[in-house]
Amino acid sequence: MMTVTAARALTDDDVCFVGIGLPSAACNLARLTHAPRLRLVYESGTIETRPDVLPLSIGDGELCETALTTVSVPEMFQYWLQGGRITIGFLGGAQVDRFGNLNSTVIGDYARPQVRLPGGGGAPEIAACCRRIFIVMRHSRRAFVDRLAFLTTLGHGPTGQERRALGLTTEGPALLVSDLCIMRPHPETKELQVTSLHPGVTRDRVVEETGWPVAFSGVVVETPAPTARELEVLRDLHARTAAAHGVPAE
Amino acid sequence: MSEFLSLHAAVAGLVRPGDTVALEGFTHLIPFAAGHEVIRQGIGELTLIRMTPDLLYDQMIGCGLAKRLVFSWGGNPGVGSLHRLRDAVERGWPRPIELEEHSHAAMAHAYAAGAANMPAAFFRGYLGSDLAAVNPNVRFIDCPFTGEQLAAVPALRPDVAIVHAQKADREGNVLLEGIVGVQKEAVLAARRSLVTVEEVVNALPRTSPNAVVLPSWTVTAIAVAPGGAKPSYAHGYYARDNAFYVAWDAISRDRGTFQAWIGEHVLSRSAEVAS
C-alpha cells in the first residue's frame, strides 16, 4: 500500500533521487506503470537508470549497466543535486516530527547514544536541494515523535517556518506516505495533516500511532486501493529481484 | 611513477600505525583484499575515512584498528546496521571510537577540495541540521559576492588512499570503470596511494577517451589482487555478492561469531591467496 501510494505521486516530468528499499520499489513501479518517462537518479552516480530488478544497494551493477550515463559521486552532489536538477527526493528515517524534520543519526545522547543509527548520508542536502521531498515511513509512536532525539535533516524546521529564514527556496516535505495514511503540510503552519486514510484504517488508529496530537485536514478521503495491474507489476518486480539476488528484497 | 609490489609489501610499506587512511569505493570496487591485509598486519591507531563505512570498516573497527572514524553513512546497504561499529560506539568494544560525522555532500566536496589542493570545501549544505552542532569541522561562511551563507568543511587529505580498480598497464597507469565513486579524488588528495587491480595488461583498452584513468605518476604503488573487491564487485569481472551482505548481519551481530569469521576468513589466510 505504501509503495503503490508513493508511486502514484510521481509523474513523467519528474527527475527523482532514489533511495534503497521502498523508494526504489515505488519509483520503479511508477516507471513500469503510469510514468514511463520518469527519470531515476541514484546517489552512486547513475543517471536515467532503468533497472530490470531492484538493487540491494545504492550502487549495484544493474544500475550502472542500464543507466544513460554514470558520473562520479562528487559530480553527482555538486552539479546534479546542488545544481538543482532533481525534482523529487525520497527520504525516510528512524524518527519524523510534525514538521517533517528527520532523525537518522542517534537515539539518546549524541556522545553516548542508546542506539547509533547509520547517519545522514545524502539526506541533509537532498532535503535542501531537491524541489520537493516525499517522506516514506512506517507509522508508529516510536517513529512519529513529538520531539526528535537529533535533527539530522531539515524538513520545515522546528517551528515549521525555518526554511525561508535559512534562505532555502525549495519546497521541502510535500508528502508523507505511511502504511496507515497520507499526510501533507498545512499551507501556512507547515504541520503535517492527515489528508487520506488507507482502506480499513480509522482516525483513532492514526491518533494512537502518532506521538504528537495529530491534525486531520478538513476533508479526509480514502486512499484508492491498489489496482490489479499495480499489484501485478510490483509482484513481478519483487519476484525478478528475489531470483536475481538470491535474497528477498523489500 | 607507480611501483608494482605484492599486496603484503605494499600495505607494509604504505600504511603506518596512526595514519589517516581512506579505503574508498562507493558500493563498487571496495578494496576488501587490501583492508584484510591491514587487519592481518595489525596496523592500528588508524583514523579511517570513508563515505560509507560498510562491511570492510565494520571488520577493521571490530578488530580494534581504528581510533577515529570520519564518515557520512555507516550501515550495511539495503540490510541494516553495522553491528561492530555500533558495538564500538555504544559500548566501547573492542575499544571506544571517536566519530567525525558528515553528510555525503560534505565528504564528496571535501575529497574534491583535497584533490584540488584547496584548504577547504564550500557548498550549500547542513542548513538547519544538528550535525553542524556536533562536528566542529562544520562551519559556515558568507559568500563574499552574494552574502549567501555556505557550509565549509576542511579538505580531506589522507596520509594514504587505497582503492581497487579493474586494470593497470605495465607502465602503472590505472583504469577504473563503472560506478567510480570518489576514488579518483581520494587518490589525488592523498600523500601516498595504493591501487589494487584485477589484472595487469599490456595496454589499457581505449573503451572511451573519457574513461577514468589515474596516470602512473599519481599512484604510489600497485598490487595485483584478483577478486580484491569481493564481496563488493568489479564491473566487467564479477557481480556483487548480495547474499553475503545479508549474511553479514548475523555474522557481525555477536562478538564471538565475528571473531571466528575474521579468524577463518582473514587471519588464517595470506595476502597472496586471500580473496
Side-chain angles (χ1 to χ4, degrees):
Chain A
M1 193 68 216
M2 266 199 296
T3 309
V4 170
T5 305
R8 286 176 184 159
L10 300 165
T11 73
D12 256 347
D13 295 328
D14 283 319
V15 181
C16 195
F17 216 71
V18 188
I20 285 305
L22 211 133
S24 186
C27 290
N28 282 288
L29 176 62
R31 185 175 64 78
L32 294 168
T33 53
H34 67 277
R37 294 180 57 80
L38 173 67
R39 281 143 295 188
L40 307 187
V41 175
Y42 287 72
E43 68 186 16
S44 55
T46 58
I47 295 176
E48 281 200 43
T49 181
R50 310 175 68 80
D52 192 44
V53 301
L54 297 174
L56 181 72
S57 84
I58 207 91
D60 277 22
E62 174 81 4
L63 297 175
C64 181
E65 282 154 21
T66 59
L68 179 65
T69 185
T70 300
V71 301
S72 73
V73 166
E75 179 177 327
M76 176 53 64
F77 280 92
Q78 288 176 7
Y79 303 169
W80 301 90
L81 180 63
Q82 185 172 262
R85 298 281 170 183
I86 316 288
T87 63
I88 306 283
F90 264 97
L91 294 174
Q95 295 181 327
V96 64
D97 70 14
R98 73 185 73 189
F99 296 112
N101 303 297
L102 295 164
N103 172 21
S104 50
T105 304
V106 289
I107 306 292
D109 179 61
Y110 182 77
R112 294 175 178 279
Q114 290 161 272
V115 182
R116 177 64 229 193
L117 301 163
E125 283 80 29
I126 290 171
C129 298
C130 294
R131 204 170 302 156
R132 310 166 77 197
I133 294 302
F134 293 171
I135 297 171
V136 187
M137 280 176 68
R138 286 191 194 285
H139 218 122
S140 78
R141 199 167 263 270
R142 280 176 61 197
F144 286 57
V145 297
D146 191 41
R147 210 181 151 75
L148 298 178
F150 189 96
L151 196 165
T152 310
T153 302
L154 184 76
H156 291 290
T159 72
Q161 303 300 317
E162 279 77 6
R163 288 185 78 84
R164 191 159 300 173
L166 287 166
L168 291 169
T169 55
T170 50
E171 199 177 322
L175 175 76
L176 185 154
V177 178
S178 80
D179 48 338
L180 301 183
C181 65
I182 296 173
M183 300 171 102
R184 294 181 189 276
H186 182 277
E188 302 300 323
T189 68
K190 303 297 181 190
E191 178 172 333
L192 293 169
Q193 297 189 328
V194 178
T195 58
S196 181
L197 291 166
H198 296 345
V201 177
T202 62
R203 288 186 180 222
D204 286 350
R205 173 97 192 278
V206 174
V207 169
E208 203 171 295
E209 298 287 355
T210 307
W212 67 82
V214 62
F216 292 79
S217 76
V219 180
V220 176
V221 297
E222 182 176 289
T223 316
T227 65
R229 169 148 166 74
E230 285 168 333
L231 287 177
E232 186 193 331
V233 171
L234 189 59
R235 279 197 200 107
D236 285 353
L237 188 59
H238 282 317
R240 283 200 300 276
T241 301
H245 294 333
V247 294
E250 193 179 337
Chain B
M1 299 298 280
S2 55
E3 187 180 4
F4 284 91
L5 295 171
S6 72
L7 181 55
H8 177 89
V11 166
L14 266 62
V15 188
R16 294 152 201 174
D19 269 356
T20 297
V21 183
L23 292 96
E24 276 297 351
F26 204 85
T27 308
H28 180 217
L29 294 173
I30 298 171
F32 272 90
H36 287 176
E37 183 57 23
V38 174
I39 292 174
R40 274 190 293 274
Q41 294 189 18
I43 305 168
E45 298 299 312
L46 299 175
T47 291
L48 293 176
I49 306 178
R50 183 171 161 76
M51 288 185 68
T52 55
D54 41 31
L55 271 50
L56 179 56
Y57 276 19
D58 209 31
Q59 294 166 0
M60 294 174 75
I61 290 164
C63 290
L65 303 183
K67 65 174 181 192
R68 191 155 184 270
L69 175 68
V70 182
F71 77 113
S72 44
W73 189 86
N76 181 346
V79 179
S81 286
L82 292 179
H83 299 293
R84 295 300 95 224
L85 170 60
R86 280 186 58 179
D87 206 8
V89 173
E90 294 168 14
R91 288 175 291 277
W93 191 91
R95 57 177 292 173
I97 187 165
E98 189 188 326
L99 300 183
E100 178 176 333
E101 182 165 6
H102 286 282
S103 66
H104 277 352
M107 295 276 294
H109 282 82
Y111 272 124
N117 196 23
M118 288 284 286
F122 308 99
F123 63 108
R124 216 175 260 127
Y126 283 126
L127 290 176
S129 172
D130 287 347
L131 283 167
V134 296
N135 182 349
N137 271 337
V138 176
R139 299 186 195 172
F140 293 93
I141 62 154
D142 294 333
C143 170
F145 302 103
T146 64
E148 182 185 359
Q149 194 181 61
L150 298 172
V153 292
L156 287 170
R157 303 304 297 263
D159 292 315
V160 53
I162 304 180
V163 302
H164 188 72
Q166 279 97 346
K167 292 175 171 67
D169 68 15
R170 297 199 184 284
E171 299 296 313
N173 303 300
V174 171
L175 172 70
L176 290 88
E177 291 179 295
I179 289 173
V180 295
V182 289
Q183 289 97 306
K184 182 164 82 174
E185 289 77 12
V187 166
L188 295 180
R191 291 174 181 84
R192 304 184 293 279
S193 57
L194 165 62
V195 183
T196 57
V197 294
E198 288 295 321
E199 62 174 332
V200 176
V201 295
N202 287 326
L204 297 180
R206 291 276 291 179
T207 47
S208 159
N210 302 108
V212 174
V213 172
L214 290 164
S216 170
W217 43 273
T218 64
V219 174
T220 314
I222 293 171
V224 180
K230 289 180 183 177
S232 155
Y233 70 105
H235 192 101
Y237 287 82
Y238 45 89
R240 190 174 190 267
D241 185 354
N242 282 331
F244 182 79
Y245 279 81
V246 174
W248 182 251
D249 191 73
I251 295 166
S252 62
R253 208 172 269 272
D254 175 79
R255 293 172 185 173
T257 321
F258 163 75
Q259 287 175 318
W261 188 91
I262 289 286
E264 184 182 344
H265 297 276
V266 180
L267 296 178
S268 69
R269 300 189 177 197
S270 76
E272 280 33 81
V273 299
S275 80

